[in-house]
Amino acid sequence: MIIQKIEESKFTPEVFNIKVFGKAFTDHMLLCHYKDGKWNVPVIKPYGKLEFTPAVSVAHYGQGIFEGMKAYKGPDGEAYLFRPEENFERFNKSAVRMDMPQIPEEIFMDGIRTLVDIDRQWIPDKYGMSLYIRPVMFGTEEAISAKSSDEFLFSIVMAVAPNYYNKPLSLKIADKFSRAANGGTGFAKAAGNYGASFYPARVAREEGYDQVIWTDDATHTLIEEAGTMNVIIRIGDKLLTAPVSERILNGVTRKSILQLAEDAGIEVEVRPITVKEVYEAHKSGELKEVIGVGTAVVVNNYAAVGYGEEKLSLPELPAEDCFGSILKKKLVDLQMGISEDPYGWRQLVEHPIEA
Ligand code: COI
């Protein structure tokens, strides 16, 4: 790995007061080019612009994938990652589906560890804040024929992560648009999955909602994801979530929250969830929580769900009775090293790293 450090850091502690997610980038980024069937030596250099012509393949055909993960500052002042191997594995699954090369583990993992080590002062030491890490890969060949790119760029950038949302959100259950279909790219973190969700989200906003609850594309009768997150529904005292599938992302936060819930004695059922049962549970007063779970947002309890013309409000539960709040605290406490980690999910970023 080649490391070219910035001459003077841009860091100031005020950066931790930022309210917007993913805008305050750290001093360095990692770049690694793929050409002639092999990966070049990765380079860490000052964060900055890249140069491409408008013929760059990704701009035309959207061959791009990414991951979302975070670094946390522990009470010992050290930097920690959370289950990074899960992101590494998923990145390469996404690469297969998008006909992109596999990224070697040492480039992905050593790249993240070295970058986090070098920019560790950018990890906030405030509870609930962290440093968001965004590995990304896209086709960089200068070519307009519709085919897989012959050249790719793998990059890692990092930005300070405050709360993603600052208000309770409401979601419209999709009855027309779809995020994913069988045989498609729903399980992958393909850039186009997100790009294609922005228009349905805009339509939902025009109808008075903030985001969309994605349903299955064939019948719009099954609840699958929420916005850019997995979704967990509380009916009575049971948590329900759909099984991961070709259409549903295998979220790291989803699987961590389910594990924490089970270990806290909360009943969890992983099975297809129908829109009808959610609607009926609301009518009978049993629909307690609709919870979005994802790396960027962590855990978000929604305020209301739109079903057709009806807006179903969710009860405002006290924190001690709200599974979303209870599980969020358990997860964030573990991620930040405030509580024990019996699962081995936290990984110390050694300091200093030999390059
Ligand atoms: C994440 O939660 O990390 C995501 O990938 C969502 C992102 C689009 C903000």
Side-chain angles (χ1 to χ4, degrees):
M1 192 172 317
I2 298 168
I3 299 178
Q4 299 159 3
K5 285 206 186 160
I6 199 166
E7 280 181 18
E8 201 178 331
S9 171
K10 300 173 297 189
F11 178 79
T12 66
E14 281 74 58
V15 83
F16 295 154
N17 299 330
I18 194 162
K19 297 278 178 282
V20 192
F21 182 93
K23 279 282 194 186
F25 292 97
T26 65
D27 286 330
H28 298 90
M29 62 182 179
L30 178 139
L31 301 177
C32 188
H33 292 274
Y34 179 90
K35 203 176 169 183
D36 300 327
K38 58 180 191 303
W39 289 101
N40 287 353
V41 176
V43 180
I44 289 184
K45 58 191 282 189
Y47 175 83
K49 294 191 174 155
L50 304 171
E51 208 167 73
F52 297 108
T53 77
V56 67
S57 160
V58 66
H60 301 263
Y61 304 117
Q63 210 178 4
I65 57 172
F66 68 92
E67 269 303 322
M69 43 210 296
K70 284 176 171 172
Y72 305 85
K73 187 160 278 178
D76 54 3
E78 294 293 329
Y80 290 86
L81 299 172
F82 183 73
R83 310 186 78 174
E85 66 290 344
E86 297 279 341
N87 299 89
F88 167 66
E89 279 165 25
R90 192 172 60 190
F91 195 78
N92 275 337
K93 281 190 188 144
S94 300
V96 170
R97 179 61 184 84
M98 294 302 289
D99 200 28
M100 299 167 89
Q102 294 287 287
I103 187 89
E105 186 167 1
E106 62 276 12
I107 296 180
F108 189 95
M109 294 297 244
D110 293 351
I112 287 170
R113 289 196 194 105
T114 310
L115 200 57
V116 169
D117 178 32
I118 291 176
D119 281 346
R120 58 173 62 228
Q121 68 177 338
W122 291 82
I123 309 174
D125 53 8
K126 292 188 187 168
Y127 183 82
M129 278 181 81
S130 55
L131 185 64
Y132 191 74
I133 306 168
R134 173 54 66 88
V136 60
M137 193 206 310
F138 50 90
T140 51
E141 188 184 345
E142 207 174 352
I144 293 188
S145 58
K147 66 164 188 70
S148 212
S149 180
D150 275 348
E151 294 171 19
F152 293 90
L153 176 64
F154 171 70
S155 176
I156 308 170
V157 294
M158 308 196 295
V160 174
N163 268 343
Y164 197 89
Y165 296 125
N166 292 312
K167 59 165 192 160
L169 302 187
S170 60
L171 298 107
K172 176 77 200 286
I173 298 181
D175 48 14
K176 174 173 162 217
F177 295 110
S178 302
R179 176 191 167 275
N182 285 338
T185 59
F187 69 91
K189 260 184 118 60
N193 292 348
Y194 297 79
S197 76
F198 298 152
Y199 177 68
R202 175 184 297 278
V203 173
R205 282 199 296 278
E206 284 164 4
E207 292 173 23
Y209 296 91
D210 301 286
Q211 267 291 353
V212 175
I213 291 199
W214 301 106
T215 49
D216 67 295
D217 62 299
T219 65
H220 294 295
T221 57
L222 301 173
I223 304 269
E224 304 217 312
E225 287 200 24
T228 59
M229 293 187 277
N230 292 115
V231 62
I232 301 177
I233 313 255
R234 174 177 171 191
I235 296 183
D237 279 337
K238 193 190 287 183
L239 291 179
L240 305 173
T241 195
V244 292
S245 70
E246 281 179 278
R247 302 189 302 263
I248 301 182
L249 189 88
N250 189 0
V252 181
T253 309
R254 171 189 177 280
K255 71 162 85 149
S256 307
I257 285 286
L258 295 181
Q259 174 88 59
L260 291 170
E262 276 175 4
D263 293 351
I266 296 173
E267 197 180 341
V268 172
E269 224 172 85
V270 180
R271 62 159 175 83
I273 309 163
T274 64
V275 173
K276 186 164 173 275
E277 71 181 306
V278 170
Y279 181 73
E280 283 170 359
H282 182 264
K283 291 291 151 221
S284 68
E286 286 291 286
L287 180 64
K288 297 274 175 54
E289 296 175 59
V290 176
I291 310 164
V293 292
T295 300
V297 179
V298 191
V299 174
N300 189 58
N301 269 71
Y302 296 110
V305 168
Y307 172 69
E309 297 301 306
E310 276 185 75
K311 194 167 198 165
L312 318 177
S313 294
L314 291 155
E316 266 184 55
L317 301 173
E320 65 277 10
D321 185 34
C322 172
F323 287 177
S325 308
I326 294 168
L327 294 168
K328 180 175 186 175
K329 183 168 182 330
K330 279 187 187 295
L331 181 62
V332 175
D333 283 359
L334 187 153
Q335 288 170 326
M336 304 213 61
I338 292 166
S339 64
E340 287 300 305
D341 172 16
Y343 311 101
W345 288 343
R346 296 174 81 226
Q347 276 185 24
L348 175 71
V349 177
E350 302 284 347
H351 176 66
I353 290 209
E354 298 295 328

